[in-house]
Amino acid sequence: MEWHAPWDIRVTLDLFLGGLGIGLFLLSVLLTAYGKNRYRKLAAIGAYLAPVLVGVGVLFLLSELGRPERFLSTLYNFNIQSVTSWGGIFQVAFMVLSLIYAWLYFKNNTSGSFFRVVWGFGTIFAIFVGVYHGLLLASLGRPLWIGGMVTALFFVSSLLGGTALILLIKELGMSWGVSQKMAKEVASASDGKGFNFTVLFCILTTLQLILVLSWQVSLSRGGLETAATANNMMDQFGGLWIGFVLLAGLIIPILGSLYSLIKDRTSEMSKGMAVVLSSLVIVGGFTFKYIVIAAGQIKFPIPF
Amino acid sequence: MARYGMVIDLHKCVGCGACGITCKNENNVDRDIFWAHHLKDTTGVFPNVKYEFVPTLCNHCDDAACVKSCPTKAMHKDDKGLTLHDPKKCIGCKSCMQACPYEVISFNYNAPHAFWRDLASVIDKGTASGQETAQEVGAPIPYYNPDRAATYEGIRSKGIVEKCTLCDHRLAKGEQPYCVDSCPAGARTVGDFDDSASEVNKLIAQYCSRQLKPHAGTKPKVFYIRSF
């Protein structure tokens, strides 16, 4: 009999794209608060992309369900004990709020009280969705996911992914749905006097590395079952983990951004470095979520 | 409210696997899916070898992880303390499979019983195909048990999970689960743990009992007594 992991790569894609989406949204919210006019177009691009990424992720998740046509029943058959049930509510609420937020940016209507309400509730639900991604895994009680660390890891990974993506967009001068004049504002948004993306990038990559290392140490001391699962993860995915998650996804970006800050703490990374490091972080983030989800599902003999 | 569960006497169990086979008959379970299954373990070096056979099934846990994780309440507890599954509510998210510490919930990746819809025969023009056999019998599968459909889908559909119900359709009629009735060694006993005079309570009072993965905290209601 062939064994199937209950969840295939579509669940990883949902959590990865959803994570990028809420990361972008929160960065857009932050840029709006930091300098609504100065970072208007970068914040707008984040606002436009956030619901698209979360929505595409949800489509992957729906396609993974055995009976996707019954998805809405998670709302009316709501199980208060189920994190998945809460996740359904949070994602629907976030999608609605993020679409309104994007629409308000598109209509250039970002100064009214309605925008502030959407901005505030959107932030709350983006955080809920970001926390839900890891909490969903933690709630299932499997040895690799239990203990709460995965919740923090997935949330920070999502924030980091969103930061890397917006840095990439900024450096490549992408400006979908943005006028040429405003696109120039995007390019000039990093002249050293405003929001420093390199500092945020460096803080988040360092925080994620600390969390990953703490998680790995706690796994190795977490009892027989947890330690066996962690060993199995390294046996199966050790090369990918060390190469893509730790080295490419965290250590090289930390060193690169630190080097840039040591050189001049008020300026941003060079364009080439920002593009390379952001790409590495995004690839590392995907690999991280893929390995944690895949390795967490591996079955072990039931001890008797 | 009752709390139905099972005691398995491993000293009586001969490891014949009849429980697994008869369960498939009673509940119209497809091959590759096991509501009643077993763990096997061989330890030691000849001539000091030990073989263990431990029958497994849904533990109908008091604090069932599958019930907590199900986003649509498809997995639920009934008034007998059984952990049951409502196929009409199931969205096939497989959260219950991930949450169950005992790996006793199965997913129908394809429509079950494909063999009985297959036109190919083992020996061309020599043996009947699965589909021909099913048509002759006049049932979806030759061993189809219509009694199963009294409380659950007779045959569960593609895209949802399925699991042991402790033969709730038989319990409702005052009968024993079929694995209990069919065990040639009488190793299985079913009863209400809330009834102090029940046979299951007498057995776990008489013998030292064990549960699978008690540390999972789900309060499983399948107890094992003595050794294989």
Side-chain angles (χ1 to χ4, degrees):
Chain A
M1 179 181 157
E2 193 184 341
W3 179 75
H4 294 266
W7 289 342
D8 64 25
I9 196 164
R10 287 170 288 182
V11 174
T12 306
L13 286 167
D14 171 42
L15 300 187
F16 173 68
L17 294 175
L20 282 186
I22 67 109
L24 272 184
F25 185 89
L26 289 172
L27 208 64
S28 169
V29 158
L30 188 66
L31 291 174
T32 304
Y34 201 85
K36 195 187 295 179
N37 296 320
R38 185 184 182 90
Y39 298 105
R40 178 170 208 86
K41 290 307 157 186
L42 212 47
I45 292 168
Y48 301 153
L49 278 179
V52 174
L53 288 169
V54 175
V56 172
V58 169
L59 286 180
F60 276 116
L61 179 68
L62 290 180
S63 74
E64 213 274 339
L65 295 180
R67 303 300 292 266
E69 75 280 8
R70 296 179 180 172
F71 173 68
L72 281 179
S73 70
T74 54
L75 302 180
Y76 56 81
N77 287 324
F78 187 79
N79 179 2
I80 198 165
Q81 295 187 92
S82 167
V83 173
T84 315
S85 272
W86 286 102
I89 300 278
F90 293 155
Q91 296 206 81
V92 168
F94 174 74
M95 282 300 290
V96 171
L97 287 164
S98 63
L99 283 169
I100 297 172
Y101 181 79
W103 177 252
L104 292 174
Y105 253 108
F106 185 70
K107 298 301 284 182
N108 209 12
N109 181 10
T110 57
S111 49
S113 59
F114 181 61
F115 176 80
R116 282 197 294 276
V117 169
V118 173
W119 181 90
F121 280 101
T123 305
I124 291 167
F125 278 97
I127 292 169
F128 282 172
V129 172
V131 170
Y132 152 72
H133 287 162
L135 202 58
L136 164 69
L137 302 182
S139 73
L140 297 172
R142 296 193 79 86
L144 199 69
W145 301 339
I146 203 164
M149 282 290 283
V150 166
T151 308
L153 281 162
F154 269 52
F155 187 56
V156 175
S157 173
S158 299
L159 295 180
L160 182 57
T163 306
L165 188 55
I166 213 143
L167 201 53
L168 204 58
I169 289 166
K170 182 168 83 70
E171 295 303 341
L172 295 179
M174 295 173 185
S175 53
W176 306 287
V178 175
S179 69
Q180 199 63 30
K181 176 177 164 283
M182 292 304 213
K184 283 176 186 164
E185 291 176 21
V186 171
S188 66
S190 56
D191 59 3
K193 292 173 186 166
F195 187 88
N196 194 318
F197 289 91
T198 306
V199 171
L200 181 65
F201 186 85
C202 186
I203 289 172
L204 287 175
T205 42
T206 308
L207 179 61
Q208 182 70 346
L209 182 64
I210 292 167
L211 286 173
V212 167
L213 295 178
S214 307
W215 180 61
Q216 286 203 266
V217 171
S218 65
L219 285 178
S220 65
R221 308 288 192 275
L224 286 176
E225 211 174 12
T226 306
T229 316
N231 287 338
N232 195 283
M233 181 182 91
M234 293 311 286
D235 287 347
Q236 303 268 332
F237 302 105
L240 278 178
W241 184 264
I242 293 167
F244 281 81
V245 178
L246 293 178
L247 278 175
L250 294 171
I251 293 171
I252 293 172
I254 289 171
L255 294 177
S257 54
L258 263 181
Y259 168 76
S260 174
L261 287 171
I262 289 167
K263 234 174 45 170
D264 182 355
R265 68 183 174 84
T266 57
S267 72
E268 295 282 5
M269 286 183 268
S270 67
K271 180 175 179 173
M273 185 184 275
V275 169
V276 170
L277 297 187
S278 298
S279 303
L280 287 177
V281 160
I282 291 170
V283 171
F286 176 79
T287 312
F288 162 75
K289 288 185 176 174
Y290 170 74
I291 292 175
V292 172
I293 292 168
Q297 300 181 72
I298 294 168
K299 282 185 178 182
F300 284 94
I302 296 173
F304 184 69
Chain B
M1 183 172 148
R3 285 173 58 242
Y4 273 78
M6 184 179 283
V7 174
I8 300 177
D9 187 342
L10 293 174
H11 190 63
K12 287 184 178 176
C13 177
V14 294
C16 65
C19 44
I21 296 166
T22 53
C23 171
K24 281 181 178 284
N25 264 353
E26 177 66 21
N27 296 296
N28 311 319
V29 178
D30 195 7
R31 59 184 177 183
D32 288 352
I33 289 182
F34 300 91
W35 290 14
H37 208 6
H38 55 262
L39 307 169
K40 286 191 293 188
D41 194 23
T42 306
T43 50
V45 178
F46 181 82
N48 299 313
V49 181
K50 187 182 178 191
Y51 175 72
E52 275 190 297
F53 183 98
V54 180
T56 57
L57 67 159
C58 172
N59 283 256
H60 295 276
C61 307
D62 276 337
D63 205 359
C66 57
V67 172
K68 284 184 181 170
S69 67
C70 179
T72 59
K73 295 183 189 163
M75 286 289 179
H76 61 279
K77 300 295 288 184
D78 81 342
D79 57 0
K80 288 191 176 72
L82 302 178
T83 305
L84 299 180
H85 172 245
D86 183 346
K88 291 188 182 70
K89 287 184 178 173
C90 183
I91 60 170
C93 68
K94 293 163 271 181
S95 296
C96 51
M97 292 173 71
Q98 300 281 20
C100 174
Y102 307 107
E103 325 269 4
V104 290
I105 304 174
S106 304
F107 183 72
N108 286 299
Y109 287 93
N110 301 300
H113 302 294
F115 177 80
W116 303 109
R117 296 189 302 276
D118 193 353
L119 276 169
S121 52
V122 177
I123 303 168
D124 191 30
K125 294 176 185 167
T127 55
S129 69
Q131 190 182 82
E132 286 165 343
T133 307
Q135 278 171 353
E136 285 300 314
V137 176
I141 53 174
Y143 52 90
Y144 182 74
N145 174 21
D147 291 351
R148 176 62 277 184
T151 58
Y152 202 21
E153 280 185 347
I155 293 175
R156 281 63 57 189
S157 54
K158 177 185 174 183
I160 62 169
V161 299
E162 61 178 75
K163 63 176 272 300
C164 160
T165 64
L166 210 67
C167 283
D168 60 324
H169 59 296
R170 291 173 65 90
L171 287 177
K173 292 189 289 185
E175 297 173 352
Q176 298 283 301
Y178 202 44
C179 60
V180 176
D181 269 356
S182 63
C183 177
R188 294 178 171 226
T189 308
V190 157
D192 178 6
F193 284 104
D194 273 355
D195 174 6
S196 57
S198 67
E199 191 60 27
V200 287
N201 272 325
K202 286 178 187 167
L203 285 169
I204 59 171
Q206 186 179 355
Y207 299 104
C208 181
S209 63
R210 289 174 288 173
Q211 297 152 295
L212 292 180
K213 290 192 175 180
H215 59 275
T218 56
K219 300 178 190 162
K221 292 206 304 289
V222 173
F223 291 82
Y224 298 89
I225 57 172
R226 305 202 281 181
S227 297
F228 186 75

